[in-house]
Amino acid sequence: MGATGIIFRREFRAYTRSPMGYIVAAVVLLLDGILFYAVALGPRAGQLLSGQALDRFLYNASGMVAVAAVALSIRLIAEERQTGTLLLLDTSPVRDWEIVLGKFLSALAFLGAITVATLYMPLMILVNGKIAVGHILIGYLGLICLGGAVLSIGVFATSLTRHQLVAAAVASVITGTLFLFSGMAQVVGAPLGRVFAALTIHGRHWAGFGSGILHLRDLVYYAALTYFFLYAATKVMEAKRWE
């Protein structure tokens, strides 16, 4: 097993053994359940088609995934600096990209487990209504892509500082700005509006997943955004190693 795999196992075990991991999971599942009831089982549920109910559930779930991703990522490197254990990693024969990748994959795996745990909700719509299985699968692929992108932003933020609150603030500002690009694209005229639409982390790039339509451009966008912030985190780690 390589260094990335060892770090992955160590960090994933930390999520399963710490209260933080269970608190995030419990909050996400609780709020997703409440929102699902309001959309699919509430008083106005009869006014929506099954596909529309699934669209709204996925839209609400995407917001929860983004918040959970920030919460799960801010401890990854900042906590190592606070406890002094990052020095052990820096002096060991482990490359910075292996540290970043191992920590990112552990957070993505835990976030993925939380997300999959909500799968019974759209399955209830499937049993009682008419929706395509592909719509559910594509929607959940979108949740994982969005979660991975926000996690990479969190990893970058936590590589900058030893303080988790500062990392949370940086990650929230970057993520919030990328979300706001969607609204700004509708207000600002061309060509700047098209630039905002292309950069937004939600809006244009999420719409296809939420509707059950898979576009290659959206996969490329989320993969590129994730790579960019993980690469930036690696460069920050390299710079701080030689301070």
Side-chain angles (χ1 to χ4, degrees), residues 104 145 148-150 152-153 221-231:
F104 168 76
C145 289
V150 178
S152 69
I153 295 172
Y221 167 80
Y222 284 117
L225 188 66
T226 301
Y227 175 82
F228 172 79
F229 279 103
L230 291 181
Y231 180 79

Side-chain angles (χ1 to χ4, degrees), residues 111-134:
L111 180 63
I114 297 173
T115 303
V116 171
T118 68
L119 188 58
Y120 74 93
M121 300 177 196
L123 290 180
M124 291 175 64
I125 302 177
L126 177 64
V127 170
N128 297 295
K130 295 181 179 179
I131 56 174
V133 175

Side-chain angles (χ1 to χ4, degrees), residues 184-197:
M184 294 171 65
Q186 299 175 14
V187 176
V188 179
L192 193 56
R194 288 197 294 269
V195 174
F196 286 146

Side-chain angles (χ1 to χ4, degrees), residues 164-202:
Q164 295 185 41
L165 288 179
V166 175
V170 172
S172 299
V173 168
I174 296 175
T175 304
T177 301
L178 290 173
F179 265 86
L180 287 175
F181 280 164
S182 177
M184 294 171 65
Q186 299 175 14
V187 176
V188 179
L192 193 56
R194 288 197 294 269
V195 174
F196 286 146
L199 292 177
T200 181
I201 200 173
H202 203 257

